[in-house]
Amino acid sequence: MSLKFKNGKFTILQVSDPQDLQYVRKTMMKMLDKAYDRVKPDLIVFTGDNVLGNHFRDARTLTPLFVKTKEAEFKAMEIAIEKLLRPVEDRKIPFSMIYGNHDDMNEITKKEQSDIYRRYPHFVGLDNDIEILKDETFNIPIYSEDGSEVKFNIWMLDSAWKDKEEDKCYSQVKPEAIEWYKKKSAELKAQNGGVPVPSLMFQHIPLIEMLDLMEECSKDDEGAFEGPDGKYFKAKPCVDGEIGEYICTVSQGNGQVEAIKECGDIKAIVFGHDHQNCFTTTLDGINIVQTPCASFRCYGRRSRGVRVFTIDEKTGDYETEHLNYKDLCGDSLKAELEYIWDADGMLKEKILLCCGVGLITTTIKHIFKRK
Ligand SMILES: [Fe+2]
């Protein structure tokens, strides 16, 4: 399937960290439905932790659904992916994905997982010719309206995986992926008359260089959050948006920043992984975009939502905005109650809600009894 600009524009909807199980949280799905219908994207990218892959086995302990074998775990993953993708597939919207750390924290290989995604007719990607990269890292060209030339490009880089034999998790973009990026970027540039093809690069786990976006501060400072060793940090003034948690980065750079500068094609590099961080900034001349989680089955803030990129065909430039739950679902009492009910980290609000409902019910019963 080739993707094309329409009327000079191409819209990408990023859904990051929707991580959920075979029992998907309905409020997240409702929020995503609203996003699909409002944005009407030309492409949706799921940027990792697409499922909560390390919790299929213990999702419902002591119930008949408790998962014990690899086959049962695979079935649970199939259902979780189907729940996430069905609304996209039914709307006939092209979509793609990269993996996050949670996707791969189980016994199911990336090839097996990739084959599940490839079953969907509107899926694009996971088509690298390089054997070591074919189930994880690839690019998606966006063509001019007449389909004659590549006007924009999307890099989808894997940054997290588990070595199933060693039972060890890794977080870095493989050196082979960076070498492939440099070679492929040069090919696209040559086909484009020697001019780099403007691109967005999506990757789940932030660059190690992004640690430089935070500075140590006092616990009482505005915007302070706890980091390692009990120290407190806040965002540097160059950050436009919110850093709500210490940036969790890849373990090593492997020359990625140098490669991006050398190729000169990246308009921005876009991350997920950190559920409470939502910002844009520039680091060492590279535009950085950070998108918080969509998931309700995890820690998070009111920033749960999605991000939109609108690409201009003529300039190759992009505009981006983040849409949170409130933007998408409104601020009615019903929307608020659904949010509180489904989102993790809202225990206090849930207790207050139950007490409130209990109090109202008791009062009504008492009134009727008196009559
Ligand atoms: Fe993650």
Side-chain angles (χ1 to χ4, degrees):
M1 186 192 312
S2 73
L3 303 175
K4 295 172 187 169
F5 279 90
K6 281 175 220 150
N7 301 319
K9 300 283 180 199
F10 190 87
T11 306
I12 302 168
L13 183 78
Q14 182 195 8
V15 179
S16 202
D17 303 69
Q19 57 191 61
D20 214 324
L21 298 165
Q22 57 273 49
Y23 331 98
V24 72
R25 295 271 169 96
K26 284 182 182 150
T27 309
M28 178 185 77
M29 297 311 295
K30 199 171 170 182
M31 178 182 80
L32 294 179
D33 280 343
K34 298 259 184 199
Y36 303 150
D37 292 339
R38 172 165 161 178
V39 177
K40 297 191 181 0
D42 299 303
L43 175 71
I44 296 169
V45 288
F46 293 96
T47 53
D49 290 351
N50 306 318
V51 291
L52 195 51
N54 51 321
H55 284 295
F56 288 132
R57 289 188 180 235
D58 58 9
R60 284 195 181 176
T61 310
L62 303 178
T63 73
L65 294 168
F66 186 53
V67 168
K68 287 180 180 164
T69 62
K70 181 181 169 183
E71 288 70 30
E73 191 175 45
F74 182 80
K75 189 72 205 161
M77 178 175 277
E78 275 183 317
I79 296 169
I81 292 175
E82 166 68 12
K83 293 258 174 82
L84 178 68
L85 300 183
R86 182 48 47 199
V88 176
E89 193 58 49
D90 284 349
R91 285 174 172 83
K92 299 182 170 41
I93 303 171
F95 68 93
S96 192
M97 53 67 70
I98 42 176
Y99 292 106
N101 45 309
H102 284 290
D103 297 288
D104 204 26
M105 288 162 71
N106 48 60
E107 295 312 306
I108 303 154
T109 65
K110 276 208 176 140
K111 184 186 178 324
E112 289 167 327
Q113 292 191 47
S114 297
D115 286 342
I116 299 175
Y117 286 97
R118 289 183 184 116
R119 289 177 198 164
Y120 290 86
H122 290 86
F123 179 73
V124 290
L126 286 173
D127 54 358
N128 202 316
D129 293 335
I130 312 283
E131 185 62 28
I132 194 174
L133 304 176
K134 76 173 183 185
D135 291 307
E136 52 187 53
T137 287
F138 51 95
N139 71 301
I140 306 169
I142 313 296
Y143 292 86
S144 53
E145 191 152 358
D146 64 5
S148 64
E149 53 184 322
V150 176
K151 299 294 282 188
F152 198 82
N153 183 53
I154 298 167
W155 300 102
M156 301 287 276
L157 263 58
D158 184 50
S159 59
W161 72 96
K162 180 182 172 187
D163 186 316
K164 315 279 182 196
E165 279 172 24
E166 282 189 28
D167 195 20
K168 219 172 152 188
C169 293
Y170 292 89
S171 60
Q172 53 170 296
V173 176
K174 289 177 183 164
E176 293 90 340
I178 293 167
E179 282 312 304
W180 166 81
Y181 156 64
K182 287 200 279 189
K183 208 170 148 211
K184 188 76 189 174
S185 175
E187 271 175 39
L188 289 170
K189 181 179 169 183
Q191 287 162 15
N192 195 38
V195 180
V197 175
S199 307
L200 283 178
M201 180 177 272
F202 288 93
Q203 162 178 332
H204 183 67
I205 303 182
L207 293 170
I208 198 163
E209 289 81 356
M210 286 164 64
L211 292 173
D212 198 38
L213 297 172
M214 303 174 286
E215 59 192 4
E216 205 177 328
C217 67
S218 142
K219 187 181 178 180
D220 301 324
D221 280 6
E222 201 187 329
F225 50 86
E226 196 172 356
D229 306 322
K231 292 177 182 166
Y232 282 81
F233 296 82
K234 63 180 181 183
K236 283 186 179 172
C238 62
V239 173
D240 185 5
E242 177 187 41
I243 298 187
E245 65 180 301
Y246 193 81
I247 299 173
C248 178
T249 74
V250 290
S251 58
Q252 50 187 302
N254 288 333
Q256 188 177 356
V257 165
E258 293 75 11
I260 287 171
K261 285 183 186 171
E262 188 185 315
C263 294
D265 59 346
I266 303 297
K267 289 286 181 179
I269 175 162
V270 188
F271 304 92
H273 188 51
D274 289 334
H275 296 187
Q276 303 187 141
N277 294 344
C278 183
F279 63 84
T280 59
T281 189
T282 303
L283 183 74
D284 207 4
I286 300 168
N287 290 329
I288 302 283
V289 180
Q290 171 67 50
T291 302
C293 69
S295 179
F296 280 58
R297 194 187 290 278
C298 63
Y299 75 95
R301 288 191 170 187
R302 292 283 177 161
S303 56
R304 285 181 173 96
V306 299
R307 183 177 284 286
V308 184
F309 293 89
T310 310
I311 318 289
D312 185 87
E313 183 179 0
K314 259 188 198 154
T315 63
D317 289 332
Y318 71 93
E319 283 178 8
T320 184
E321 69 168 329
H322 182 262
L323 301 172
N324 63 26
Y325 175 80
K326 205 170 165 183
D327 297 327
L328 293 162
C329 296
D331 53 6
S332 66
L333 179 63
K334 185 172 175 280
E336 178 65 9
L337 292 178
E338 285 173 348
Y339 185 93
I340 291 171
W341 188 251
D342 252 5
D344 277 7
M346 306 286 291
L347 186 61
K348 211 165 65 183
E349 290 83 351
K350 280 185 178 79
I351 291 170
L352 280 172
L353 185 62
C354 289
C355 290
V357 171
L359 189 66
I360 292 167
T361 313
T362 312
T363 309
I364 291 172
K365 272 184 185 169
H366 189 67
I367 292 168
F368 277 102
K369 224 176 176 180
R370 280 179 65 189
K371 280 180 180 175

